[in-house]
Amino acid sequence: MISEPHTPVTIVGAGPVGLMLANLLAAYNVPVVVIERHHTTVQEPRAISIDDESLRALQIPELDAALKATCAMDYGSVYLGPDRQPFASVSPTSAEYGHPRRSAFAQPILEAMLAENLGKYPHAQIRFGEEVCAMEQNDESVQLTIQRHDGGQYVHTSQYVAACDGGRSPLRHMLGVGMHGNTYEKKWLIIDLKGTHDNFRQTRVYCDPRRPGINLPGPNRTRRFEFMLLEGETDEQVTDIDFVRRLLRDHGPDEHIEIVRKQVYTFHARMANEWQKGRVFLLGDAAHLTPPFAGQGLNSGLRDAANLSWKLAAVLQGRLPPKALGSYQAERPEHAWQLIEMAMTLGKIMMPGTLLKAKLIQAAFRALRWIPPANDYITQMRYKPKPRFTKGFFVADGADPRNTLVGRMVCQPILERPDRSLIRLDDLLGNDFALIACHTNPAQAFEGMPLLPFEQSLNLKRLCVTPRFYNPFPAAPGATHTVRDVSGEFERHCPGAQDIWLLVRPDRYVMACIPRKNGDQTVKQLNDLLQLV
């Protein structure tokens, strides 16, 4: 059996999460190999909703603009009662992280785009038609026994392995990692259409106990319906073409258009008991299974990739100690489970057990319209858990967890450079750590800054942001860039920023708030945490 030279990272599974992780690692200059048992990326419709955090992560491999050109951008939802009359709507207008809160995309397009983009990196490759059939690991490496489509086998050795191999995850089973959570009793029929005649661009949610369902618009005149199976209905019955056509007739003008896919699914709300075992990490559906009611399954997987990728890169390149990898398990599960809980809550609204429950839910939501803060909570999608960590790879500042900037994703405002050209925050920061100062006078932006012993090792970029009503004079002393907060977004989302320096990680989470007064203690804590080699 042939053995290969060591690879820094091997990814098992070339779905959207595996390919995203590969692109991020390649962008961070880490050699990577992707193993995929199928012969191509997915060709049929799968996930169809992408959020602002995922689009932001796609900025790192510079794919966000290309994907957005294929998306139906910025859409919301309308909730309909059994009488088909709207009783609630969700239509967020904010773009705190630089992109619309919710857009429709096509998973085959995203996967093809990610796979093609890997071709520009000489240190990245995808091996289709190969399957992992055994795995062993020790303190130094992971050995994968891989079977090719022709039946031949070889041994592939890596420093780290990422299991992105789906909900049934063979690697998770090889590791002996169990899952906890629930499986929904009711099955759902998924119908994907091409060439819709319905030009309504919001999602319709049918909160009808007689047949709960969802009607989702997609890009390029595609449309998806999801209907709950009723008691006694079989998979064969509901996928019969006449049955499907009747459902379509009752829900719009698309009874006779092309059906791309019709399939029955069982939904899950489950999570792996461990996300890291030795040198192997679980990501995406291998780590968590999310009901589709909030469109967060794929997005949670892309968050996993964004969180783990820069840590692997920094450890492999000797800029962080290996213990930093343990923060993946510390940070990601809590937020992922919050999104699972949100999806389950939305499912209860969508699936009222009786007409009485449906009417009570409608009445409650209609009453909220008269309470502006409560109405905004719904319409602006503020019920979605914020991207923040309560524990992990950062230095807490002792502030209330609900108000602190530490452990939270920093906003992404539009900024103005001294030549008056506009740029997004992340496009300035690139792929490294950043130190951000907010100051009216760029010349004083970094005055009094304690010595940062880790600055060179982290390749730290310094950025001065002037408030909205102050011009960005040429770069502040010691700063890489000076820019202006065009609309006041940075000040609004980072209150008190003029009293601190923000240390931001490559995944755009705030690692520390260094006080302008007495910042030495925070710097010492950071240095202890980083323990650079």
Side-chain angles (χ1 to χ4, degrees):
M1 192 180 297
I2 300 173
S3 293
E4 294 188 316
H6 284 213
T7 299
V9 180
T10 297
I11 298 167
V12 181
V17 177
L19 290 171
M20 180 67 162
L21 179 63
N23 272 269
L24 292 170
L25 288 169
Y28 294 138
N29 296 313
V30 174
V32 61
V33 172
V34 183
I35 306 295
E36 170 54 52
R37 65 187 182 90
H38 293 108
H39 293 277
T40 66
T41 55
V42 69
Q43 304 297 303
E44 291 186 334
R46 296 284 177 84
I48 58 173
S49 184
I50 193 162
D51 69 9
D52 48 353
E53 297 168 58
S54 295
L55 288 170
R56 187 174 192 178
L58 282 164
Q59 285 181 241
I60 293 174
E62 300 179 352
L63 287 173
D64 60 304
L67 182 66
K68 287 167 77 170
T70 72
C71 291
M73 299 298 298
D74 194 15
Y75 72 102
S77 302
V78 176
Y79 288 76
L80 307 174
D83 57 0
R84 299 286 174 90
Q85 295 301 306
F87 65 87
S89 67
V90 178
S91 187
T93 56
S94 66
E96 181 177 349
Y97 304 121
H99 302 276
R101 299 290 298 275
R102 185 167 175 250
S103 301
F105 82 114
Q107 183 172 328
I109 291 177
L110 173 61
E111 289 194 16
M113 195 176 290
L114 289 167
E116 181 182 357
N117 195 63
L118 272 185
K120 75 181 186 184
Y121 298 105
H123 52 284
Q125 59 174 294
I126 310 176
R127 301 177 183 177
F128 287 108
E130 298 189 359
E131 186 169 3
V132 176
C133 53
M135 175 174 61
E136 294 181 6
Q137 63 172 312
N138 53 42
D139 291 341
E140 303 296 328
S141 63
V142 184
Q143 294 79 43
L144 301 176
T145 302
I146 298 175
Q147 182 165 314
R148 296 188 295 264
H149 60 86
D150 61 5
Q153 291 187 350
Y154 66 96
V155 174
H156 179 80
T157 305
S158 294
Q159 288 178 261
Y160 297 99
V161 167
C164 306
D165 51 345
R168 293 185 174 88
S169 183
L171 264 66
R172 188 182 67 232
H173 289 289
M174 291 178 193
L175 292 169
V177 173
M179 299 190 86
H180 61 273
N182 301 299
T183 295
Y184 277 72
E185 179 183 348
K186 298 291 186 181
K187 295 182 178 180
W188 284 68
L189 169 67
I190 311 297
I191 308 167
D192 284 293
L193 306 175
K194 180 180 178 181
T196 180
H197 297 302
D198 187 348
N199 67 346
F200 188 65
R201 70 186 315 274
Q202 302 284 76
T203 294
R204 297 186 185 95
V205 183
Y206 304 108
C207 304
D208 187 345
R210 295 168 298 187
R211 175 82 71 183
I214 316 174
N215 177 344
L216 303 100
N220 305 315
R221 295 188 64 185
T222 58
R223 186 166 290 275
R224 169 173 294 178
F225 285 91
E226 301 178 3
F227 294 109
M228 193 180 83
L229 272 63
L230 304 181
E231 195 70 36
E233 291 179 337
T234 65
D235 295 9
E236 294 75 21
Q237 178 185 352
V238 300
T239 52
D240 177 78
I241 189 63
D242 291 332
F243 186 95
V244 171
R245 295 291 185 198
R246 285 196 300 273
L247 283 176
L248 295 176
R249 182 194 316 145
D250 292 340
H251 293 82
D254 289 337
E255 177 184 358
H256 298 295
I257 69 168
E258 180 181 350
I259 297 174
V260 178
R261 183 182 67 140
K262 47 187 174 68
Q263 191 167 340
V264 174
Y265 277 90
T266 300
F267 296 155
H268 306 276
R270 308 190 72 197
M271 182 173 287
N273 298 330
E274 299 173 82
W275 290 37
Q276 177 188 1
K277 199 157 187 180
R279 290 178 168 266
V280 183
F281 300 87
L282 302 180
L283 293 84
D285 286 354
H288 45 79
L289 295 166
T290 307
F293 309 125
Q296 286 298 307
L298 173 135
N299 292 290
S300 283
L302 297 184
R303 291 186 194 98
D304 298 341
N307 185 284
L308 181 61
S309 55
W310 69 271
K311 296 173 183 176
L312 281 170
V315 168
L316 287 163
Q317 293 160 1
R319 294 183 290 115
L320 287 181
K323 70 172 187 177
L325 297 175
S327 64
Y328 173 68
Q329 168 79 61
E331 291 176 351
R332 282 294 304 133
E334 181 181 2
H335 188 234
W337 188 254
Q338 288 173 348
L339 290 163
I340 289 174
E341 289 180 321
M342 179 186 75
M344 290 191 290
T345 299
L346 291 176
K348 292 175 182 177
I349 296 170
M350 289 171 50
M351 299 182 292
T354 65
L355 284 171
L356 176 59
K357 285 184 180 179
K359 290 179 180 179
L360 290 173
I361 290 171
Q362 286 180 248
F365 273 90
R366 286 180 172 135
L368 291 178
R369 295 178 187 174
W370 299 98
I371 309 172
N375 189 54
D376 271 3
Y377 182 78
I378 302 299
T379 61
Q380 296 302 312
M381 208 172 166
R382 290 181 183 149
Y383 53 81
K384 180 184 174 185
K386 298 280 284 185
R388 64 177 61 169
F389 305 130
T390 59
K391 56 185 177 181
F393 200 66
F394 53 82
V395 173
D397 60 359
D400 187 303
R402 294 170 298 180
N403 299 321
T404 181
L405 297 176
V406 176
R408 287 176 52 180
M409 180 177 278
V410 72
C411 63
Q412 182 177 203
I414 297 294
L415 303 168
E416 181 188 63
R417 292 180 282 203
D419 65 1
R420 294 184 298 282
S421 61
L422 302 179
I423 189 168
R424 296 174 299 185
L425 174 66
D426 294 5
D427 296 333
L428 273 180
L429 299 184
N431 300 341
D432 297 308
F433 286 81
L435 189 69
I436 302 177
C438 183
H439 206 286
T440 58
N441 185 350
Q444 300 173 3
F446 292 98
E447 280 188 1
M449 165 62 67
L451 176 67
L452 305 178
F454 46 79
E455 184 160 2
Q456 187 173 356
S457 298
L458 295 185
N459 194 23
L460 198 63
K461 288 187 176 180
R462 292 192 177 197
L463 176 70
C464 171
V465 178
T466 65
R468 181 181 180 186
F469 299 115
Y470 291 81
N471 283 321
F473 290 154
T480 312
H481 301 283
T482 300
V483 289
R484 181 176 74 91
D485 184 12
V486 173
S487 61
E489 285 286 303
F490 190 84
E491 274 194 298
R492 183 158 53 252
H493 292 295
C494 300
Q498 295 201 34
D499 299 322
I500 56 176
W501 292 285
L502 272 72
L503 179 62
V504 179
R505 310 186 322 190
D507 60 356
R508 315 314 182 197
Y509 281 78
V510 177
M511 188 170 179
C513 291
I514 305 173
R516 285 185 173 272
K517 296 180 179 179
N518 304 318
D520 292 323
Q521 179 60 30
T522 302
V523 171
K524 181 183 183 303
Q525 290 176 283
L526 277 167
N527 205 46
D528 291 343
L529 176 67
L530 294 167
Q531 290 184 7
L532 300 173
V533 294

